[in-house]
Amino acid sequence: QLQLVESGGGVVQPGGSLRLSCEVSGATLDNYAIAWYRQAPGKEREILSCINSRGVRDTYADSVKGRFTISKDNDKNTVYLEMNSLKLQDRGVYYCAVPLSEVKQMCVFFRGAGLWGQGTQVTVST
C-alpha cells in the first residue's frame, strides 16, 4: 500500500530553482526515512540526500552540497528537495525512495532501497 509519487520537475534555466515534492501515501511519513536520488542521462542512479524519520538530514553528493536542501512536512506526508543555482549537470530523473523495511526510519541505503517513486524529470537548459 505504500506509494511514493514525485512531482515538481520541469524545464529551468541555469541558475534557476526548482522544488521537487515526494508525496507518501499508505503510511505515516514520521515513520520513514526518505532519500532523493538522481539519474543523469547515461549515468548510474546516485543518492543525493536523505532525511530520516526524525528530520535529521544527510547529504551524500558533493555536487549538490550548498545548493540542494531536503526537508519534509509530516502533516502533508511530503518530502521536498529545494534545488537552487541549478547547473546543466543537474539534469536527469529525480527519484525518491524509502529504505528497506527493517531500517525504514534511518538513512540506510547501502543495501538498496525498499521502494521507489516513478521519478520526475528535471531539464536544465538555456
Side-chain angles (χ1 to χ4, degrees), residues 61-105:
D62 290 340
S63 63
V64 308
K65 288 181 178 178
R67 299 189 299 119
F68 291 12
T69 302
I70 191 169
S71 63
K72 68 172 181 173
D73 185 336
N74 286 339
D75 292 335
K76 295 182 178 179
N77 256 17
T78 301
V79 174
Y80 304 98
L81 185 67
E82 299 177 19
M83 306 187 295
N84 298 315
S85 301
L86 283 161
K87 305 174 180 179
L88 294 175
Q89 299 93 318
D90 293 320
R91 71 189 187 279
V93 180
Y94 285 72
Y95 300 88
C96 58
V98 296
L100 297 170
S101 61
E102 58 265 35
V103 291
K104 66 181 182 180
Q105 297 185 69

Side-chain angles (χ1 to χ4, degrees), residues 12 18 26 28 36 39 59 61 77 80 99 103 111 120-121 124:
V12 64
L18 283 174
T28 303
W36 282 101
Q39 188 163 23
T59 301
N77 256 17
Y80 304 98
V103 291
R111 294 177 60 205
T120 185
Q121 176 74 234
V124 184

